[in-house]
Amino acid sequence: MPPSLPDQPDPHVFVLFGATGDLANRMLLPGFARLAEAGLMPSDWRLIGSSPSGADGDWPAGDGLEALAGHASYVQASSDDAEDLARAVREARERLGPSSRTLFYMSVPPSAMESMVKALGDAGLADDRARIVMEKPFGSDLASAKHLNKVLHEVFEEDQVFRIDHFLGKEAAQDILALRFANGLLEPIWNARHVAAVQIDVPETLGLEHRAAFYEETGAFRDMVVTHLAQIMGFVAMAAPASLHPNDLHDAKARAFARLRPFTKDDVVYGQWVGYREEQGVAPDSSTETFVALRAWIDDERWKGVPFLLRTGKSMAESRRVVTVTLKDSERLELLPRATALERPNEIVFELTEDPQLAIEVRVKMPGPRLTVAPAALTLDVERALHHKGLEAYERLLHDVMLGDHLLFTRADEVELLWERAAPLLEDPPAVLPYEPGSWGPGEAEVLAEPSGWRLPEVEPGSPGS
C-alpha cells in the first residue's frame, strides 16, 4: 500500500534559490499562488526568495507576487555569503513554531548546486525538518551525478532529497500508469508481442528565450533526453511495481533503466537550427545540439526488439508532448480491404498536456455499401469526462514535497543509471546537422523511425506519409 500521508502540510518556510530566474517566474511563483488560492498550502507559511543579486527585503519588481503578498520576502545570498539568508530562515521558523519545516528549492544551474548545498550545511540549515528540491539536469554526466549525490548525502538524508522532473507531475504522465495497470484492455498487450514501437516526442517551437548560458552548458540531450523523455520512457517500459509505495515504483523504473542498452552514435541524430550561432550569448562556433532523435533499446523479455524513439528539439514546426504506442497489425488485417493504403497502424496516443487526452487509433468500417475499413480515433478528454480539473505539474509536485511524498520524483540510482547509459554519447557525440527553423529537424532522423515513421507531423488519410 502507498505510505500514509498527512492531509495538511506542516507550516513551511520555502526558500527559493534562483528566485529571479525564468523557471521561478513562469512556474514556481504562479504555482505557489494557485496552491494558496486552492487552499492547499500549509496553515501558515513564508516564502523567502534568494539569488546572488537583488535588494534585501523587497522582491525585485515585475515578478507578479500580488497573490503572495504578506508571505514573501527577498534576501540576497550566495554560496560564499549566506549569513543573512540563514538568519531570515531561522527567524521565520521561530515565528511558525516547532512543527514547521524548511523546503529549499534549487532553481539554479547544475554548476551552482554543489556550492549551495554545502553552504546550507555550513549554515546549519539542513536539520531533520528540512527538505531540498533539486532541479534537473542532476549533474552533467555519471561522474558529476555521483559526486553531487555524495555531496547531498553529506548534508541531507536521501529521504530529504526530492529530485524533480516536472514531466512526471503531469496528469497525462500519471495516466500512463493508471491506464496500464487498471485496465485489462491494455496491460495484456503491453509487450513486444503486440507493440511495434514507442515514440516519445517533445518538439518545441520556442528558441532559447534568453537562456543561452544555460543551453550552451547543457544542450538538448542533457536538458531533455536524459531527464524528461527518459523518465517518461521509464513509466512506459517498467514492469508492474509491487505496490505504489515510492520505493516499489522507483525499483520497477530502475530495473527498466538497468536493461537499457547504452546509447550509441548508430542510434542517434543531433541537429542545430540554422541561426542558433547568431543568438546572443552563443559561441560563433558552437557545437551544442538543439535537436536530438534517439532510438533506444531495452534488452528484456517484455521489450526485446521494440524501438523506443525519443525526439526533441528547439525552433521546430510545432510544440507538442506526445507518447505514442504503435501496435503491430492484426494477423487478419488482409481479410478486409482498406480505404487507403497510407494509414498508420493502430496506436495508443497520450497527449502530455495539462488537460490529459487519450486517443486510440483503430480501424472501423467505412460507411457505405462496401465492407472496407478506414482509420478513426476513439478519444477521451479526461477532465471533461470526469468533470474534475487536476493540478498543473509544478503545483502537484510542490504539494507532494510538502507532504513528503517521493512517488513522482527520481531516486539517486535511477539518475545514475541513465547517465551511465548516456556515457558513450557524452564521450563521443555525433556531429550536429543543420535544420531549418520551423521544420521537423534534420532529414536523417527519419531513418531512425522506419518503417512507420514519426507520428508527428500528423497526416490526413490519403496524404503523403510523415
Side-chain angles (χ1 to χ4, degrees):
M1 293 290 293
S4 177
L5 296 170
D7 295 325
Q8 176 79 27
D10 293 327
H12 265 72
V13 179
F14 303 100
V15 183
L16 176 53
F17 292 100
T20 59
D22 177 71
L23 178 65
N25 283 297
R26 285 189 304 108
M27 295 293 184
L28 300 178
L29 298 176
F32 281 119
R34 284 191 288 266
L35 287 172
E37 291 166 359
L40 294 174
M41 291 292 278
S43 57
D44 202 359
W45 55 279
R46 299 291 185 273
L47 173 61
I48 301 174
S50 184
S51 65
S53 61
D56 284 355
D58 296 324
W59 210 295
D63 291 300
L65 288 183
E66 294 83 2
L68 306 180
H71 292 274
S73 60
Y74 183 89
V75 178
Q76 184 175 335
S78 69
S79 57
D80 298 324
D81 184 7
E83 184 176 335
D84 289 345
L85 176 65
R87 185 183 305 112
V89 171
R90 293 191 188 100
E91 290 174 356
R93 282 279 298 268
E94 287 176 8
R95 286 196 296 269
L96 295 182
S99 66
S100 64
R101 292 186 175 274
T102 311
L103 191 161
F104 299 102
Y105 198 112
M106 309 298 285
S107 180
V108 296
S111 57
M113 285 187 179
E114 178 180 344
S115 60
M116 295 305 299
V117 170
K118 288 181 176 178
L120 294 177
D122 293 341
L125 296 176
D127 60 19
D128 60 0
R129 300 288 294 174
R131 293 171 177 145
I132 185 168
V133 180
M134 307 293 286
E135 264 291 339
K136 62 87 187 170
F138 188 87
S140 57
D141 56 18
L142 178 59
S144 62
K146 285 185 172 181
H147 179 71
L148 185 52
N149 276 325
K150 180 176 180 294
V151 170
L152 266 174
H153 292 152
E154 289 172 353
V155 179
F156 294 93
E157 298 295 328
E158 175 63 18
D159 64 2
Q160 295 176 278
V161 179
F162 292 76
R163 299 169 189 82
I164 195 168
D165 190 307
H166 77 271
F167 270 45
L168 299 186
K170 291 182 176 295
E171 291 282 349
Q174 298 163 61
D175 264 328
I176 295 173
L177 302 181
L179 286 158
R180 277 191 62 185
F181 301 131
N183 293 283
L185 175 69
L186 296 182
E187 180 58 12
I189 64 171
W190 215 262
N191 53 58
R193 180 179 175 187
H194 300 282
V195 175
V198 175
Q199 292 185 23
I200 303 170
D201 212 354
V202 186
E204 296 181 283
T205 58
L206 294 176
L208 291 183
E209 303 299 305
H210 310 294
R211 300 172 71 221
F214 170 81
Y215 212 74
E216 281 285 273
E217 184 179 336
T218 57
F221 184 68
R222 286 182 171 92
D223 183 37
M224 295 291 292
V225 176
V226 191
T227 55
H228 297 323
L229 276 65
Q231 287 294 332
I232 294 296
M233 177 171 59
F235 271 16
V236 175
M238 71 182 189
S243 75
L244 280 185
H245 187 284
N247 280 337
D248 288 335
L249 185 75
H250 295 313
D251 286 346
K253 197 144 45 99
R255 283 192 291 269
F257 292 153
R259 292 162 184 159
L260 258 179
R261 200 180 298 174
F263 307 148
T264 68
K265 288 199 291 189
D266 292 339
D267 287 311
V268 73
V269 172
Y270 278 9
Q272 185 186 91
W273 90 71
V274 176
Y276 172 78
R277 295 175 183 177
E278 282 72 56
E279 294 279 334
Q280 184 176 358
V282 173
D285 59 348
S286 174
S287 60
T288 299
E289 77 286 354
T290 65
F291 169 95
V292 179
L294 172 71
R295 182 171 53 197
W297 306 93
I298 297 176
D299 290 328
D300 65 8
E301 198 60 35
R302 176 184 287 266
W303 297 114
K304 187 175 182 179
V306 177
F308 282 74
L309 303 164
L310 282 55
R311 183 175 67 168
T312 188
K314 296 284 190 182
S315 196
M316 293 183 68
E318 193 176 346
S319 290
R320 292 284 292 278
R321 296 171 178 178
V322 185
V323 176
T324 305
V325 179
T326 302
L327 302 177
K328 294 180 178 178
D329 275 330
S330 164
E331 295 176 357
R332 301 291 182 264
L333 177 61
E334 296 310 319
L335 287 176
L336 297 168
R338 283 176 277 177
T340 173
L342 296 175
E343 66 194 40
R344 295 186 60 79
N346 295 154
E347 292 174 330
I348 304 168
V349 184
F350 300 87
E351 295 278 355
L352 301 184
T353 57
E354 298 306 333
D355 177 8
Q357 297 179 23
L358 170 71
I360 301 179
E361 302 278 352
V362 297
R363 296 184 180 98
V364 297
K365 180 191 174 295
M366 174 74 79
R370 297 188 178 182
L371 186 55
T372 59
V373 293
L378 305 173
T379 61
L380 174 65
D381 184 316
V382 176
E383 289 186 354
R384 184 174 298 177
L386 299 181
H387 308 290
H388 195 84
K389 187 170 179 61
L391 295 174
E392 188 273 342
Y394 273 105
E395 297 164 20
R396 165 68 192 268
L397 294 174
L398 285 168
H399 191 252
D400 283 355
V401 180
M402 296 179 214
L403 298 178
D405 187 354
H406 281 85
L407 186 70
L408 299 176
F409 294 82
T410 61
R411 202 170 60 186
D413 57 333
E414 295 177 48
V415 174
E416 292 179 6
L417 280 165
L418 289 172
W419 282 124
E420 184 178 352
R421 299 309 183 265
L425 286 182
L426 298 176
E427 294 165 3
D428 185 21
V432 294
L433 304 174
Y435 65 96
E436 291 297 323
S439 72
W440 288 100
E444 288 82 352
E446 296 299 323
V447 176
L448 296 181
E450 291 178 349
S452 61
W454 296 99
R455 186 174 198 275
L456 298 178
E458 292 163 339
V459 297
E460 295 295 329
S463 65
S466 59

